């Protein structure tokens, strides 16, 4: 990703902010998706390789998947956009009930780069809300499409988008009694999947804040330990040299620390390792299961799970291990807490009445809401904007695992496209 | 003991299938009559081997849901394991701790570690040197039964003693 050369010209072609006609309130569940027209982009160069159509297609899919937008069928369009520098005839789009219109063009430059322009129009306000221009190598057209989706999402909802992100996960294949698990990575929309490991059990990957490094658990040498995987070099490195199992790794928000569990004599406690000095500090000292740590976005606190009170429940401590206190008091067992990047919520797995479901609550344990409705849903991960969660859904009877996503409001529950069965998703920050 | 009889049954069925496969004439109605001598012809188990441990001693103990205490019926198995390890002092073992699917992934890794350690501590209390016993947790990653019901989950909640090195073959 660091090789990603992208000149982004954030040109607000029309600076005047639109009247707030076109907007979506993301805080409401089950809203009516906003009708938006996204015709294929204009191919402005004879050497166009299909980017003009493909970019629009990806933008339509991104916005549709969010559940907040309803991209209209291009076959219904009356007006053909041939020049994005001329204002569209808005009445041609109003009759289709479109409230937003996205026009764009893709042009191959003499130097081999792809130039992509797009504009977002408020069909009822009859003005341009946003105009951006991108230059990139043609091979990166998908990322341009996701960046355009993010820009549209942000302009209309007021929240940052999450389309230009990646998912690291565990790809599953083979029979239930001899499951093969591989570390895998893909774009947020399921495109560009690739496998990073092969042939030994791997579990629970998580990104560092730059999305360059993955911490995960591997049985590669016959001993379960936390490893780091550097995406740029492909290098894998065992994190520390511990006599027993290390597991459940998670990076601090500044990327300098990894919190994880270390098992000794059957007892699991949480430690934090400074990646710069490799110095390890023990944070919990209880003869209970203490695991699944997750930092608050300011790095000052860690939420984790412990059965020290008799059953698996969610706790919070300061990042130095002080002030450990229980925060989940709802029914059943509650585990795998993950702090939202916005800081406002903790997502977790609730086990009650024979089912595992994904829930959210405030960090003080109040206002618990159960979101998903599977038989065994577990292990939530947040989109970088804190609006959407992905999680593992295991199908009853050894029929495999899938990755699903759900809006934090509880709406828009849907399966995430993966190559085959998949589990343990971790959502990257927005790619830099 | 359960494993022992299961092994015999398998050998018998395997032979019956071979017989059925050799049948060339239509009336195949009597293949399910394995004679006793056939069972005794199964390859003999080498004393001090991994198979000896698995079949004649018993390599598996089970646990209650979300628990890691050794259950009374399994104490006899672990006593046999300890006696067997005393008889074959060059053998080193690894205890695998497993959980059923009714727990979150990382919690179950920790639970499997508790179970493996409970088996180890029991063996040590029965005189096995701690240095001969390693542990490893597989959490819920290595089920031996995939139905989603209590009978299956009970089979998956287990501690398995496997040979690491030093066994006869």
């Amino acid at each position: 990703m660091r090789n990603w050369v992208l000149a982004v010209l954030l040109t607000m072609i029309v600076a005047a902010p639109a009247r707030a006609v076109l907007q979506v309130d993301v805080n409401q569940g089950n809203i009516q998706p906003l009708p938006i027209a996204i015709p294929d982009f204009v191919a402005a160069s004879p050497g166009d390789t299909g980017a003009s159509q493909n970019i629009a297609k990806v933008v339509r899919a991104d916005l549709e998947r969010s559940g907040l937008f309803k991209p209209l069928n291009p076959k219904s369009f009356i007006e053909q956009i041939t020049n994005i520098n001329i204002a569209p005839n808005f009445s041609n789009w109003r009759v289709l009930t479109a409230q937003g219109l996205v026009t764009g063009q893709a042009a191959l430059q003499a130097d081999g780069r792809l130039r992509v322009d797009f504009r977002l129009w408020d069909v009822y306000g009859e003005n341009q809300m946003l105009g951006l221009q991108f230059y990139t190598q043609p091979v990166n057209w998908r990322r341009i499409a996701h960046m355009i989706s993010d820009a549209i999402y942000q302009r209309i909802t007021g929240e940052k988008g999450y389309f230009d992100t990646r998912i690291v996960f565990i790809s599953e294949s083979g029979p239930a009694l001899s499951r093969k698990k591989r570390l895998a990575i893909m774009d947020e929309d399921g495109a560009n999947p690739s496998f990073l490991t092969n042939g030994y059990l791997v579990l629970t990957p998580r990104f560092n804040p730059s999305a360059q490094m993955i911490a995960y658990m591997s049985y590669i040498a016959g001993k379960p330990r936390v490893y780091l995987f550097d995406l740029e070099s492909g290098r894998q490195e065992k994190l520390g040299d511990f006599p027993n199992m290390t597991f459940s790794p998670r990076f601090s928000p500044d990327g300098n620390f990894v919190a994880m569990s270390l098992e000794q004599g059957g007892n699991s406690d949480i430690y934090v390792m400074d990646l710069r000095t490799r110095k390890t500090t023990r944070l919990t000292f209880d003869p209970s299961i203490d695991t699944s740590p997750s930092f608050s976005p300011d790095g000052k606190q860690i939420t984790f799970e412990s059965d020290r009170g008799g059953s698996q429940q969610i706790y919070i401590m300061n990042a130095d291990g002080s002030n450990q206190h229980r925060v989940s008091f709802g029914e059943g067992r509650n585990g795998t807490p993950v702090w939202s990047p916005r800081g406002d919520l903790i997502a977790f797995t609730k086990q009650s009445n024979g089912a595992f479901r994904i829930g959210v609550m405030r960090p003080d344990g109040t206002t618990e809401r159960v979101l998903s409705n599977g038989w065994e849903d577990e292990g939530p991960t947040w989109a970088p904007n804190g609006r959407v969660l992905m999680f593992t859904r295991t199908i009853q009877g050894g029929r495999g695992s899938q990755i699903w996503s759900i809006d934090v409001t509880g709406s828009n529950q849907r399966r995430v496209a993966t190559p085959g069965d998949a589990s343990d998703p971790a959502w990257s920050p927005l790619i830099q | 003991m359960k494993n022992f009889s299961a092994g015999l049954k398998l050998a018998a069925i395997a032979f019956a299938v071979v017989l059925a496969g050799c049948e060339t004439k239509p009336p195949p109605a009597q293949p399910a009559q394995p004679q006793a001598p056939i069972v005794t012809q199964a390859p003999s188990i080498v004393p001090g081997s991994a198979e000896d441990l698995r079949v004649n001693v018993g390599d598996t103990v089970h646990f209650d849901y979300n628990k890691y205490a050794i259950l009374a019926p399994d104490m006899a198995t672990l006593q046999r394991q300890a006696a067997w390890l005393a008889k074959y002092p060059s053998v080193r073992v690894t205890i695998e701790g497993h959980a059923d699917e009714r727990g979150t992934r990382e919690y179950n890794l920790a639970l499997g570690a508790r179970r493996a350690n409970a088996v180890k501590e029991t063996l040590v209390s029965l005189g096995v040197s701690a240095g001969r016993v390693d542990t490893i947790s597989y959490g819920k990653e290595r089920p031996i039964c995939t139905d989603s019901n209590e009978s299956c989950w009970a089979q998956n909640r287990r501690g398995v003693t496997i040979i690491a090195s030093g066994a006869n073959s």
Side-chain angles (χ1 to χ4, degrees):
Chain A
M1 277 305 121
R2 224 169 266 153
N3 296 331
W4 164 254
V5 182
L6 172 69
V8 183
L9 294 179
L10 298 176
T11 9
M12 294 294 286
I13 295 169
V14 175
R19 286 160 289 155
V21 174
L22 186 55
Q23 63 179 34
V24 171
D25 181 357
V26 291
N27 292 309
Q28 292 176 357
N30 298 310
I31 56 155
Q32 281 292 99
L34 183 103
I36 188 167
I38 310 169
D40 288 347
F41 284 15
V42 178
S45 59
D48 180 73
T49 54
S52 51
Q53 290 172 37
N54 291 338
I55 289 174
K57 196 173 157 190
V58 168
V59 172
R60 284 194 288 267
D62 282 348
L63 296 180
E64 191 278 331
R65 219 168 44 251
S66 75
L68 302 176
F69 297 88
K70 182 184 157 198
L72 301 174
N73 184 348
K75 289 191 179 126
S76 68
F77 297 166
I78 301 162
E79 181 177 344
Q80 189 183 3
I81 303 293
T82 54
N83 184 344
I84 64 162
N85 296 316
I86 300 171
N89 184 342
F90 291 104
S91 61
N92 284 339
W93 302 95
R94 273 197 297 271
V95 296
L96 305 174
T97 71
Q99 294 191 43
L101 169 65
V102 175
T103 61
Q105 74 174 22
L108 207 54
Q109 304 294 285
D111 62 5
R113 289 186 305 164
L114 184 69
R115 171 181 160 172
V116 180
D117 295 78
F118 91 94
R119 295 172 182 203
L120 170 63
W121 305 89
D122 179 341
V123 171
Y124 286 82
E126 298 206 349
N127 56 21
Q128 181 178 312
M129 296 177 75
L130 185 62
L132 296 176
Q133 189 176 89
F134 304 85
Y135 286 93
T136 185
Q137 298 304 316
V139 69
N140 292 323
W141 66 269
R142 271 192 167 273
R143 284 205 60 203
I144 297 296
H146 294 315
M147 293 168 101
I148 290 171
S149 303
D150 282 330
I152 295 167
Y153 182 100
Q154 180 167 5
R155 185 65 184 85
I156 293 180
T157 69
E159 307 267 351
K160 276 191 182 301
Y162 52 83
F163 303 109
D164 187 25
T165 57
R166 303 174 89 189
I167 308 296
V168 62
F169 62 101
I170 300 298
S171 164
E172 301 192 9
S173 58
L177 289 182
S178 55
R179 207 73 169 143
K180 184 174 173 186
K181 293 197 171 191
R182 288 185 289 173
L183 188 63
I185 193 168
M186 64 182 188
D187 296 349
E188 184 270 345
D189 62 351
N192 296 318
S194 66
F195 301 103
L196 305 177
T197 66
N198 195 3
Y200 44 89
L201 180 60
V202 286
L203 301 168
T204 64
R206 277 89 190 230
F207 277 112
N208 78 340
S210 69
Q212 289 297 312
M213 190 83 84
I214 296 162
Y216 65 107
M217 187 199 191
S218 170
Y219 286 69
I220 184 170
K223 295 176 185 300
R225 299 289 186 274
V226 170
Y227 282 73
L228 297 179
F229 192 107
D230 185 318
L231 283 172
E232 196 169 340
S233 67
R235 202 167 65 92
Q236 298 177 58
E237 173 202 0
K238 189 165 72 169
L239 188 58
D241 187 21
F242 299 98
N244 296 82
M245 177 169 71
T246 51
F247 61 111
S248 189
R250 213 177 250 111
F251 286 95
S252 62
D254 65 7
N256 288 332
F257 297 87
V258 167
M260 60 185 169
S261 282
L262 166 59
E263 176 259 322
Q264 282 181 299
N267 179 38
S268 298
D269 275 301
I270 295 171
Y271 291 68
V272 66
M273 178 185 278
D274 187 329
L275 294 177
R276 298 158 299 186
T277 63
R278 299 293 159 123
K279 185 171 168 285
T280 302
T281 308
R282 184 174 179 174
L283 300 183
T284 67
F285 294 83
D286 208 273
S288 59
I289 290 175
D290 295 310
T291 191
S292 298
S294 170
F295 283 89
S296 60
D298 64 6
K300 291 179 177 166
Q301 290 175 288
I302 295 172
T303 181
F304 63 102
E305 65 172 54
S306 176
D307 68 347
R308 64 185 63 180
S311 77
Q312 183 184 15
Q313 295 294 345
I314 295 164
Y315 289 71
I316 287 177
M317 61 183 162
N318 293 333
D320 64 0
S322 63
N323 190 26
Q324 300 185 10
H325 60 282
R326 179 174 166 178
V327 294
S328 68
F329 292 93
E331 73 169 328
R333 292 165 63 181
N334 299 284
T336 75
V338 187
W339 218 307
S340 162
R342 300 158 70 96
D344 57 343
L345 294 171
I346 289 172
F348 60 97
T349 306
K350 170 176 282 295
Q351 302 169 54
S352 63
N353 302 317
F356 289 42
R357 301 200 168 101
I358 304 302
V360 293
M361 63 182 181
R362 290 188 182 147
D364 64 4
T366 62
T367 326
E368 175 188 297
R369 287 185 291 123
V370 173
L371 304 179
S372 73
N373 62 2
W375 175 74
E376 189 169 284
D377 297 343
E378 68 173 302
T381 180
W382 289 97
N385 70 354
R387 304 280 346 162
V388 185
L389 291 152
M390 286 189 191
F391 55 91
T392 302
R393 169 164 293 174
T394 300
I395 311 301
Q396 205 164 353
R399 285 180 289 128
S401 294
Q402 307 165 347
I403 297 177
W404 283 65
S405 70
I406 194 166
D407 197 274
V408 72
T409 58
S411 64
N412 199 33
Q413 185 172 222
R414 57 173 73 200
R415 187 174 175 184
V416 174
T418 52
D421 277 5
S423 55
D424 291 2
W427 209 319
S428 82
L430 280 169
I431 306 295
Q432 300 300 312
Chain B
M1 278 300 121
K2 197 171 87 185
N3 284 333
F4 182 61
S5 57
L8 287 180
K9 205 178 295 170
L10 271 181
I13 289 169
F15 190 83
V17 168
V18 169
L19 274 184
C22 293
E23 204 81 39
T24 52
K25 290 181 180 178
Q30 303 167 333
Q33 292 275 335
Q35 306 93 325
I38 293 160
V39 176
T40 61
Q41 284 170 15
S44 61
I45 292 172
V46 177
S49 67
E51 199 182 7
D52 187 24
L53 173 65
R54 191 173 67 249
V55 175
N56 295 325
V57 176
D59 61 353
T60 301
V61 297
H62 294 93
F63 297 90
D64 284 339
Y65 172 67
N66 198 19
K67 296 284 193 284
Y68 57 103
I70 302 296
L71 299 170
D74 286 328
M75 272 310 290
T77 304
L78 295 183
Q79 280 160 356
R80 282 197 306 277
Q81 287 184 11
W84 188 85
L85 286 165
K87 195 171 168 188
Y88 302 103
S90 61
V91 170
R92 296 172 54 93
V93 293
T94 299
I95 316 293
E96 296 179 348
H98 298 271
D100 67 26
E101 63 181 337
R102 303 307 277 165
T104 47
R105 195 176 316 285
E106 290 168 344
Y107 182 90
N108 275 1
L109 287 169
L111 180 59
R114 275 179 166 172
R115 287 175 174 163
N117 191 66
V119 172
K120 174 178 176 171
E121 286 188 348
T122 304
L123 290 176
V124 169
S125 75
L126 293 168
V128 180
S129 158
R132 295 172 64 195
V133 186
D134 265 340
T135 59
I136 187 169
S137 173
Y138 284 101
K140 59 177 171 179
E141 307 305 319
R142 291 285 179 263
I144 53 172
C145 182
T146 60
D147 292 342
S148 293
N149 57 42
E150 175 50 33
S151 126
C152 231
W153 295 330
Q155 293 177 56
N156 289 333
R157 296 189 298 263
R158 68 201 194 277
V160 185
T161 302
I162 59 165
I163 304 288
S165 64
N168 296 329
S169 53

